[in-house]
Amino acid sequence: SSAAVLFDLLGDREAAAYFSRMATAAYAERESGHTGNYFNVLWALPGVSRSGAAATGAYLKEQSWYYDLLRGWDGRCLHQGIPGEERDSYDGWDCTGSYLLGFALPLKKTILTGRKPSVVPPLSPAQAAETIAAGSDFTYWVRDTFYDGRDTERLLADLASWSPAVRKRSAHSLGRREGDVVPRLLKMLGGTDRDARYGACEALGRLGPKADAAAGPLRALLVDPDPWLRHLAAEAIAWMGPATRKAAVPDLMRAADRKDPADPRGRVQGKLAESLFSPSPGQREPKSILADSLEGADRTLLLAAIKTLLQNEDGRIRGLLNRVYSKLERKDVAALLPDIVEAIRKPAPSGEMFADGIRLAGLDLLSALRIREGMELAVDLMEPDRWGQGNRIPRCAAALGRYGSQAKALLPRLRETRDSIIRKDRKEKEKNATAVALEKCIAAIEAAEGSPALRGLEEYRRAPDLPR
């Protein structure tokens, strides 16, 4: 919904119309949301309204019960939260103003995107009805059985829906039933209907090993001009049988090394990295093909893919390599060290929530190898005034502590960082977990005896196989 308003503001007619229509079809999904559903409700009606009066009226016909029941006896609208959950991030909020944003639509006096008319062509009553139909038979409370009441023929037809949600849900339901639909899916995959190709690709993935016969066409899609087809093909392959997954690794790594002007932010690289190396945070399936071992992977392709992924602009995507470092051979580490260090020094420009993961993994690697430059980097990365310090600083301190007495020259900077945290937090230092972690690190370095042998980056690169 917020995307519909944003793209309307930017004048992007196609994107605004698409997201507004998706918002209209999402009437059954407003009760949930990340950390709570406050923003899901806040932007609902403004986003829907971009599609015109018929769409807004059809949406309210489905959702008016919610708006009616949320009002208290005194006219206020309290945050409702997610049903079945005790608390969320917006617990106790007075949300009257946010609901008024929707209630005020008929007045036509709310200005969010300027005084010019919406760039979105209004939906006709028939189009609005079709859009509402795309949201039927689904709520979060039946997410394990949605669409199971639909017959196979309807599910196959719905794989060609304009709505990605309908395509995905139809694919999931097909994956839960018996019967061989692979030949029909392959026919759709080879057709010219873009949406049908998307839906067929998703359905083949949800069929898992039962769709191994489709491995060839799916691997061919990894070089398709359409980024979304490449994305879906990469995910589908990861769901397949062990032999099929393993055979696809070279193609997946070549695709991960590809930079495509049609995908300037490298979003497809993220899905390829998930299929190869590690699922995204909060995701468990499908299991990444190389999650347990890199054995047998072509080293030239592997290193090229890792280098490219370390340059991705999204911190989450870079972070999908977190577990790869520990599986690399020493000669691999030597080849990648400049890229690993660069990824520590310069964070990804977006995805701040996960951007520190790959940087901390790099610090752990450098400290385990006793590479000298890792000490300064560990202190540089602490950054006590930046978001996420509660996780970041203890990890940096642990990495620095592995250098023992060699890190004594950095003690003044550690004390300065500790004192800065205590001044800002205004708690007793014994009650600040971050300050405590630094204090323990300082004490350990002060008490350390002996000097572990260190090597510089270039020394290690020239002779990675020398014992530490």
Side-chain angles (χ1 to χ4, degrees):
S1 294
S2 57
V5 176
L6 173 63
F7 282 112
D8 192 14
L9 174 63
L10 296 174
D12 189 328
R13 174 174 175 166
E14 183 177 1
Y18 174 79
F19 284 110
S20 180
R21 199 174 186 195
M22 287 293 295
T24 305
Y27 55 86
E29 303 174 43
R30 298 298 181 185
E31 292 182 77
S32 189
H34 182 56
T35 71
N37 64 351
Y38 170 75
F39 288 104
N40 207 358
V41 176
L42 168 64
W43 288 109
L45 282 172
V48 170
S49 69
R50 301 299 84 200
S51 286
T56 307
Y59 178 91
L60 279 172
K61 186 175 180 180
E62 301 292 336
Q63 194 68 3
S64 59
W65 63 270
Y66 188 87
Y67 288 91
D68 288 340
L69 290 175
L70 65 86
R71 289 198 300 271
W73 65 270
D74 57 358
R76 290 189 303 151
C77 300
L78 297 180
H79 175 61
Q80 299 300 297
I82 300 174
E85 296 188 12
E86 292 184 6
R87 295 179 61 85
D88 62 33
S89 297
Y90 315 101
D91 189 60
W93 281 25
D94 182 343
C95 299
T96 307
S98 64
Y99 284 104
L100 284 173
L101 196 62
F103 292 144
L105 283 176
L107 300 177
K108 298 183 179 180
K109 293 183 178 179
T110 304
I111 300 171
L112 294 176
T113 59
R115 293 184 180 276
K116 65 183 186 304
S118 171
V119 300
V120 180
L123 298 182
S124 68
Q127 290 172 321
E130 179 191 4
T131 303
I132 291 297
S136 63
D137 297 338
F138 176 84
T139 71
Y140 278 107
W141 323 121
V142 295
R143 55 183 174 268
D144 295 325
T145 58
F146 56 80
Y147 286 14
D148 285 357
R150 299 184 177 186
D151 61 37
T152 299
E153 290 301 318
R154 179 173 179 185
L155 293 177
L156 288 167
D158 282 348
L159 289 176
S161 171
W162 64 270
S163 167
V166 172
R167 296 196 300 265
K168 182 177 291 293
R169 293 164 190 169
S170 299
H172 276 249
S173 188
L174 280 170
R176 293 194 291 265
R177 60 183 65 189
E178 300 298 324
D180 184 10
V181 294
V182 172
R184 295 182 65 178
L185 294 176
L186 284 173
K187 185 176 180 179
M188 293 171 64
L189 194 65
T192 58
D193 185 314
R194 182 188 67 176
D195 291 332
R197 297 183 77 196
Y198 292 161
C201 201
E202 289 207 67
L204 288 167
R206 299 311 305 186
L207 289 171
K210 293 187 291 185
D212 278 355
L218 288 172
R219 287 168 64 177
L221 289 179
L222 294 175
V223 294
D224 193 274
D226 185 335
W228 189 239
L229 264 179
R230 297 201 302 273
H231 175 109
L232 294 173
E235 182 175 24
I237 289 168
W239 283 105
M240 294 187 164
T244 301
R245 284 158 45 95
K246 186 175 181 181
V249 166
D251 288 338
L252 290 166
M253 290 196 295
R254 289 188 190 95
D257 185 35
R258 177 184 181 190
K259 294 182 180 179
D260 178 14
D263 180 25
R265 297 297 311 286
R267 307 304 296 173
V268 177
Q269 290 177 357
K271 181 53 65 177
L272 290 158
E274 289 177 3
S275 296
L276 283 167
F277 302 120
S278 176
S280 282
Q283 178 182 318
R284 295 183 179 180
E285 293 184 305
K287 184 176 181 179
S288 304
I289 302 170
L290 301 177
D292 295 329
S293 172
L294 301 177
E295 184 179 355
D298 181 290
R299 254 37 198 183
T300 300
L301 296 177
L302 175 66
L303 297 185
I306 292 173
K307 286 184 178 185
T308 298
L309 289 168
L310 284 175
Q311 298 169 23
N312 193 281
E313 294 184 358
D314 190 312
R316 177 191 65 83
I317 293 175
R318 290 189 191 184
L320 298 174
L321 296 172
N322 286 355
R323 301 173 187 173
V324 173
Y325 289 171
S326 63
K327 300 180 180 69
L328 293 170
E329 298 174 2
R330 288 189 176 189
K331 60 182 180 181
D332 299 332
V333 173
L336 290 169
L337 262 181
D339 305 277
I340 292 170
V341 171
E342 187 69 6
I344 298 172
R345 285 179 174 149
K346 295 183 180 179
S350 66
E352 181 184 18
M353 180 178 288
F354 305 107
D356 284 334
I358 194 64
R359 304 175 77 192
L360 293 167
L363 281 184
D364 288 340
L365 177 65
L366 296 183
S367 64
L369 297 173
R370 301 294 191 273
I371 291 178
R372 186 177 295 107
E373 288 84 346
M375 293 189 293
E376 289 278 356
L377 287 170
V379 181
D380 291 343
L381 184 52
M382 289 183 179
E383 300 180 51
D385 294 325
R386 184 165 62 82
W387 178 88
Q389 57 142 305
N391 173 64
R392 182 175 60 254
I393 291 180
R395 288 276 303 274
C396 291
L400 186 63
R402 298 186 189 107
Y403 289 92
S405 62
Q406 292 278 19
K408 286 185 177 180
L410 293 164
L411 287 174
R413 288 186 63 188
L414 288 181
R415 294 189 184 101
E416 181 182 342
T417 300
R418 176 202 58 195
D419 294 343
S420 171
I421 290 169
I422 293 171
R423 284 195 303 271
K424 182 178 179 181
D425 197 39
R426 296 182 181 179
K427 289 181 182 177
E428 296 177 26
K429 63 182 181 180
E430 294 81 5
K431 295 181 181 180
N432 186 302
T434 306
V436 169
L438 280 173
E439 192 66 47
K440 289 181 179 179
C441 178
I442 291 168
I445 293 171
E446 288 176 329
E449 297 180 358
S451 298
L454 305 183
R455 281 193 281 179
L457 285 170
E458 292 306 316
E459 292 177 85
Y460 185 89
R461 294 192 71 201
R462 286 195 297 268
D465 293 324
L466 289 177
R468 296 179 207 162

